[in-house]
Amino acid sequence: MPDAVALDFGDDRVTYLEYRDWSERIAADLIKRGLQPGDRVGICAANSLEYCVLILGILRAGGIVLPMNMRYTPHELAEIAEDTGPRFIFADADRLAKIEGLSSASLEISHIGQLRHGQRPIIAHQPKPDDRVVIISTSGSTAKPKGVVFSHRSMTGYVATHAIEEQSLGRGSRVIIPAPLNTSAGFVQLTHYTILGCTLHFLSAFEPALFLKTLVEKKINGFGAVPVFFEAVSKLPEFENADLSSITMATCGGAPVTQALQDTWMKKGIVLRQIYGQTECGGNGTIMPEHLARVQPQKCGMGGLFNEIGIIDENGNRVPPGTVGQIILRGPGNMLEYWNNPEETAKVLKGEWLHTGDLGVLDEDGLLTFIDRMKDLIISGGLNISAAEVERAVLTFPGIEECMVIAAKDAKFGETPLAVVYTRQDIDVPALISHCNSRLADYKVPRYVALEHEPLPRTPTGKLSKPAMREKYRNAAEALPRVR
């Protein structure tokens, strides 16, 4: 096991023994620089070997990892830094300029490579099970991202639960991770499959042909992605003859799996298994059993030995099978809290139950079908976009009085932001997009803008009402010009 490959980045890899020793040298270096247990350490960088090992080094030193979205603007990064107060922020060369104006000490992540070799140090710090280990930013219905906090206990509890309930992958399995490490999908899979003793393969970015080539050449055993990823890979001409017989588990989340997509992959002997989850529950809350996913691909699975699932009405009462209500989850992987935000924490954590803000329905067999988001999220290429955050940026542009951001269909990303704005004057749309580019990561910036010259519809309580605009612009991708 010590000599087994832990991390494989194609042209570079490390064994588990090298992984441990390198991370402990990083821990010693951080402690020497003044890191104290509980200090936050930000990382703003693309996926890399150094990023992975730095995460483990921070944990070994007693710090709290703060993954920062590499696509965020300096404005967005400053908001996160103000909320979390990191002692250090590491960045790669392409993002170093984004963090230079922040109060935290900035370090280039290439420094981590200088610690790759040397003697194994003695680290006095001994982590405790309930120590906080990571703050993962998540987009929700609020205008600013919230920081989801996990401990050693909650993260290892999540892994142990899945290791017992789902044994398709384990020690020695080869897993590919297409997600950025700053997302819950990337970070949780790194910790999950490292604890299991798998070999983790990474790509710097998702490119369908390279992804398929890696699946074949590395004989990958498992991976998870959003449906648009599976669709992109299956449309490649080389997909038909690709040998994918090594794959034992493929999970899909973020949008429903259609029967047509399921049938395409089943011809290759692979059953796509829908999951339901969110950052706050540690990742996957449910996973569809393989034999049931063959004929019911849109369903997301059921509760298990340790993860419980329920559906409640607006008064918090359980509802019978076949009734739509809010999904609630209870399990060892649930988050501890939102960082520095007790008010939002109290809204979603009630006793041992996580109130997800999502609508779903359980059938007579306990199988979950996801219906819709009570929270106002747009999922674009697997990335969560808070509509409220985009609206906040748009509303700071002169002349715009009201704004609602909704999802428009997108052939590549599944969904993309559409800004519907009310204005009583002419708006320079290119200037608006330029304004948004300065305040938002590129994937959040609206691809469509619809100008309304009458006030936007509102609910009886005075809130902007989106259903009418969703219906009006349901064919936005065909009817409106793309503005970027």
Side-chain angles (χ1 to χ4, degrees):
M1 179 67 188
D3 295 326
V5 174
L7 306 171
D8 188 326
F9 276 80
D11 57 351
D12 200 2
R13 57 190 62 83
V14 296
T15 66
Y16 271 93
L17 181 61
E18 292 167 335
Y19 193 8
R20 182 199 68 183
D21 292 354
W22 189 359
S23 66
E24 292 195 344
R25 285 189 288 273
I26 294 169
D29 182 76
L30 290 170
I31 293 169
K32 184 178 178 180
R33 291 174 181 271
L35 185 76
Q36 298 293 318
D39 282 348
R40 279 73 65 202
V41 180
I43 310 174
C44 184
N47 286 2
S48 68
L49 191 57
E50 290 78 10
Y51 195 149
C52 294
V53 185
L54 174 57
I55 287 173
L56 195 58
I58 295 168
L59 300 184
R60 186 65 185 88
I64 299 175
V65 182
L66 177 65
M68 305 175 83
N69 195 318
M70 62 181 176
R71 297 171 68 177
Y72 275 8
T73 63
H75 174 79
E76 292 169 301
L77 294 171
E79 286 188 332
I80 292 174
E82 181 181 358
D83 181 48
T84 55
R87 190 180 187 102
F88 307 109
I89 301 178
F90 286 83
D92 55 21
D94 292 339
R95 283 102 191 159
L96 202 57
K98 290 185 177 184
I99 65 169
E100 285 180 345
L102 304 181
S103 59
S104 307
S106 59
L107 298 164
E108 192 161 349
I109 202 168
S110 60
H111 167 72
I112 299 304
Q114 301 170 18
L115 302 171
R116 184 164 185 171
H117 304 289
Q119 289 187 328
R120 183 187 179 192
I122 297 174
I123 308 296
H125 175 76
Q126 293 299 319
K128 296 180 176 61
D130 293 317
D131 287 348
R132 272 61 173 163
V133 296
V134 66
I135 304 170
I136 301 177
S137 294
T138 181
S139 293
S141 57
T142 55
K144 292 184 180 181
K146 299 185 290 290
V148 178
V149 181
F150 296 105
S151 66
H152 288 286
R153 188 189 302 276
S154 63
M155 295 213 74
T156 54
Y158 171 84
V159 176
T161 295
H162 284 272
I164 293 170
E165 295 183 351
E166 176 54 60
Q167 300 180 7
S168 299
L169 301 172
R171 179 177 294 188
S173 295
R174 296 173 296 279
V175 179
I176 188 167
I177 300 177
L181 287 165
N182 63 264
T183 64
S184 61
F187 187 93
V188 171
Q189 287 187 79
L190 172 68
T191 54
H192 184 170
Y193 295 118
T194 297
I195 292 171
L196 290 184
C198 301
T199 294
L200 284 67
H201 296 262
F202 288 85
L203 299 175
S204 57
F206 176 75
E207 196 287 311
L210 179 58
F211 189 82
L212 179 59
K213 181 181 179 185
T214 305
L215 292 179
V216 174
E217 292 184 353
K218 298 293 185 178
K219 298 188 182 301
I220 297 298
N221 302 125
F223 69 101
V226 292
V228 291
F229 281 28
F230 286 96
E231 290 170 356
V233 172
S234 66
K235 289 177 180 177
L236 294 170
E238 54 267 41
F239 177 76
E240 184 176 355
N241 296 319
D243 180 5
L244 301 179
S245 59
S246 61
I247 295 176
T248 58
M249 185 169 78
T251 60
C252 198
V257 177
T258 65
Q259 190 65 57
L261 182 62
Q262 181 72 282
D263 292 343
T264 297
W265 281 82
M266 282 176 55
K267 291 176 182 177
K268 305 293 293 182
I270 300 165
V271 178
L272 305 185
R273 301 172 61 186
Q274 183 85 27
I275 63 96
Y276 170 75
Q278 55 182 206
T279 303
E280 288 86 343
C281 75
N284 298 348
T286 67
I287 180 171
M288 189 66 172
E290 182 175 336
H291 67 288
L292 297 176
R294 293 174 180 272
V295 292
Q296 300 181 86
Q298 77 284 359
K299 295 193 175 183
C300 309
M302 62 186 76
L305 292 172
F306 306 100
N307 284 320
E308 299 177 67
I309 186 168
I311 305 292
I312 59 172
D313 62 21
E314 62 273 14
N315 297 315
N317 301 314
R318 294 295 186 101
V319 299
T323 305
V324 175
Q326 183 181 182
I327 303 168
I328 58 173
L329 298 170
R330 179 167 66 177
N334 282 357
M335 72 170 189
L336 277 66
E337 62 191 353
Y338 290 125
W339 178 265
N340 197 28
N341 199 337
E343 182 179 345
E344 289 297 322
T345 301
K347 290 179 182 178
V348 299
L349 285 181
K350 300 180 181 181
E352 296 180 331
W353 290 90
L354 172 68
H355 291 234
T356 66
D358 290 332
L359 296 174
V361 60
L362 294 174
D363 66 16
E364 294 287 349
D365 298 318
L367 293 171
L368 172 69
T369 299
F370 171 78
I371 301 298
D372 201 354
R373 295 182 290 272
M374 292 169 63
K375 299 175 182 177
D376 204 1
L377 282 179
I378 298 166
I379 300 180
S380 183
L383 298 174
N384 289 349
I385 301 171
S386 164
E389 183 182 9
V390 182
E391 289 162 356
R392 183 163 60 108
V394 172
L395 285 167
T396 59
F397 188 77
I400 293 180
E401 299 184 39
E402 294 178 340
C403 172
M404 62 171 67
V405 172
I406 58 179
K409 294 179 181 178
D410 188 272
K412 183 176 181 181
F413 300 109
E415 295 180 342
T416 194
L418 156 63
V420 182
V421 301
Y422 164 53
T423 176
R424 286 180 286 185
Q425 62 188 62
D426 291 334
I427 293 294
D428 184 340
V429 173
L432 169 61
I433 297 305
S434 178
H435 170 80
C436 291
N437 278 326
S438 70
R439 302 183 67 86
L440 299 169
D442 55 355
Y443 66 93
K444 300 178 184 178
V445 176
R447 279 194 169 84
Y448 300 95
V449 175
L451 301 179
E452 294 280 330
H453 298 290
E454 296 291 336
L456 301 182
R458 292 183 177 270
T459 67
T461 60
K463 294 181 180 180
L464 287 174
S465 178
K466 294 189 175 181
M469 290 295 104
R470 289 193 178 106
E471 176 60 26
K472 181 174 181 178
Y473 292 107
R474 60 191 177 91
N475 295 319
E478 293 81 27
L480 295 177
R482 289 172 70 100
V483 295
R484 70 173 185 90

